[in-house]
Amino acid sequence: MKDLSVIGGGSWGTALAIVLAPRFERVRLWVYEQDLAERMRTTRRNDVYLPDSTLPANIEVSSDVHASALGAEVVLGVMPSHHARPIYTQLLPVLQPDMLFVSATKGLENGSLDRVSEVMREVIGVQFTPRVGVLSGPTFAKEVARGEPAAIVIASHDAELARAIQHAFSGPTLRLYTNNDPVGVEIGASLKNVIAIAAGVCAGLGLGANTMAALITRGLAEITRLAIAAGGEARTLSGLAGLGDLVLTCNGELSRNRTVGFQLGQGRTLDEILGGMRMVAEGVQTTYAAMDLAARLGVELPITRQMYAILREGKSPREGLRDLMDRSLKEE
C-alpha cells in the first residue's frame, strides 16, 4: 500500500499520520479548521492539538475533505464520534469499493446508539458495501508521535482486511494484533472513557490505590457485560482494546476523560470544564449513549449510572460514590 488518507486532524489523527508516514509513500491528513491546516503546511506542526511533534515531509495537510480522500487505498477515520455520520456522508462522492476503511474513533453515536463502524456501513452502504475494520488499544497520542513503542488491535469480520492493515501499519514503534470481534473492541473503546471519568473523580476526591483498583476491575466487568449483550466476546475485553486501554486511560494523566473527572472531583462544574477544553472528551457523550444502550439491552451498569447522574443530573461526586458503595451486596 502506498496511499493513506487520515480523516481527522486532532491529536490522535495527527499522531497516527506521523507514526504511519514511514509506512506509506503518501499520507494525506484532513484538518477541519482551515487556518490550522494552513499553519500546519507552513510550520509542519499541529500547534493546537499536538504542538511538540513535527510532521514528516510526505504528510500533505488539507482542509478539503474530498481532496484528502480521493484515490486513497486506506481511509482512516479519526473524527469525534458525533461527527462521523456527516463526515462520511460528505465523503461519499469520492469513496470507491476497492478502498479499505478503518475507524480509529472511540465512541457511540447518540440517538441511534450505533457503533462508528455501523455508522460507516450505513452511510457508505448506499453506494457499495464497504470493507471496514476498527483500530483501538492503549495509546496516548503524544507518546505515539514521539515514537514510544505501543501495541494496538485491528478488528474486523473481514480477516483479509485485518491482515492487510496489520502488515501495512505495523512498524518499529507500533505493533498491531488482529482480532475478529469489532463489536467487543468498539464497546471497550467507548465505555473505557466513561470509567476513566470515574477514575478522575476518585483522584480528584483524593482517594487512593485501593479505590482505583476496585473501580478498574468492576468497570471492566460492566463493560464486558454490555459488550456481550451487544454481540461481542468476553475474551476481547481482557486484551489490549479492553483491559489495556482501560488501565491506561484510568491511570494516565494525559487522559482527557480522566482530567474531566478529576476536575469534577475538585468541585468544578461540567460546563466550566468543557468550556475550557479544545479537545473532545468522548466519555461525556458516551455516558449518555451507554445508559440508553444498557436500557435497550437490559444490562446493569452501576458505575456508568452514577457517572450519568453526576454529569447530567448534577449529583455530587461524593454522593455518587456513596450510592455506588451502598448498593445491595452481590456475588462477583
Side-chain angles (χ1 to χ4, degrees), residues 50-68:
L50 204 66
D52 297 329
S53 298
T54 302
L55 301 180
N58 65 327
I59 295 179
E60 304 170 17
V61 181
S62 175
S63 57
D64 182 334
V65 72
H66 288 168
S68 297

Side-chain angles (χ1 to χ4, degrees), residues 186-208:
E186 286 185 288
I187 294 293
S190 301
L191 270 290
K192 61 93 181 180
N193 286 326
V194 180
I195 307 303
I197 297 176
V201 167
C202 291
L205 291 172
L207 304 174

Side-chain angles (χ1 to χ4, degrees), residues 248-262:
L248 177 76
T249 315
C250 286
N251 288 298
E253 294 184 0
L254 291 175
S255 166
R256 296 191 294 273
N257 293 284
R258 185 183 187 276
T259 298
V260 169
F262 183 85

Side-chain angles (χ1 to χ4, degrees), residues 91-115:
L91 279 169
L92 278 177
V94 299
L95 301 183
Q96 298 296 326
D98 60 350
M99 292 175 168
L100 301 183
F101 297 91
V102 179
S103 171
T105 298
K106 298 181 178 183
L108 302 172
E109 184 180 53
N110 281 85
S112 72
L113 310 182
D114 285 344
R115 293 173 284 109

